[in-house]
Amino acid sequence: MTDSVFSIRPATPADVAHIHAMIVELAVFEKLEHMVVATEALLHEGLFSVRPSCEAIVGEENGEVVTFALFFHNFSTFLTKKGLYLEDLYVRQSHRGKGFGTQMLQRLAQIALERGCGRFEWSVLDWNEPAINFYKAMGADVMPDWRICRVTGDSLTALAERG
């Protein structure tokens, strides 16, 4: 049996189908599949248009894409520096427990430092104890006093149209 080879690289347009499939897998895992409206075309546009909204890295085991991380920059007014925000990190179920998630987070931290970011942040569902424990073990602070506020769909339209 040969040793497994794992490598991380920036996503390319050829990875869009793999990333999209893992987004759907992630949504099923989080019991949020009813919220997925993403298509490969929209994902391609978000990642590779003239003005991309986000970036992604992928992890390959022996040439097979088995994990992805999708991220973008935000800005901290307190630090007056940009930050790196991780929207999603997913490792396919059959490839978990091999340290790939750790390596992906390490690479993202390196990217944040290379780009002069003052923060590297992400969210985690409060019921996902394995992920919370993993993130804490990686040195992350789970911010107990912060809650995500979201306006989407009809509520977003209504807010925009308020007098």
Side-chain angles (χ1 to χ4, degrees), residues 9-148:
R9 60 173 174 76
T12 68
D15 297 314
V16 168
H18 298 293
I19 295 170
H20 182 264
M22 286 188 279
I23 289 170
V24 173
E25 289 175 29
L26 174 61
V28 169
F29 171 76
E30 292 181 341
K31 300 171 182 62
L32 297 172
E33 61 268 26
H34 61 283
M35 296 181 69
V36 177
V37 296
T39 64
E40 289 181 25
L42 290 172
L43 182 59
H44 185 276
E45 181 180 330
L47 287 167
F48 301 108
S49 65
V50 175
R51 293 189 60 191
S53 304
C54 57
E55 300 173 64
I57 57 174
V58 295
E60 294 179 317
E61 182 176 29
N62 299 326
E64 176 190 357
V65 176
V66 299
T67 180
F68 83 96
L70 191 138
F71 59 97
F72 54 87
H73 287 286
N74 56 15
F75 188 81
S76 167
T77 54
F78 287 8
L79 297 177
T80 57
K81 287 187 170 189
K82 65 182 170 182
L84 193 77
Y85 187 83
L86 172 61
E87 180 66 23
D88 283 318
L89 169 63
Y90 183 75
V91 179
R92 287 209 149 125
Q93 183 72 35
S94 59
H95 297 273
R96 293 185 186 157
K98 300 178 180 182
F100 298 162
T102 299
Q103 291 180 59
M104 294 290 281
L105 281 176
Q106 289 171 330
R107 181 63 193 122
L108 290 164
Q110 291 166 357
I111 291 169
L113 290 176
E114 289 165 4
R115 295 180 182 185
C117 296
R119 291 183 177 158
F120 173 31
E121 298 176 304
W122 61 92
S123 301
V124 61
L125 292 168
D126 62 358
W127 57 260
N128 194 345
E129 285 298 324
I132 291 168
N133 293 332
F134 169 68
Y135 296 144
K136 285 181 178 178
M138 296 295 296
D141 292 323
V142 177
M143 309 294 283
D145 299 330
W146 293 85
R147 299 292 182 262
I148 297 170

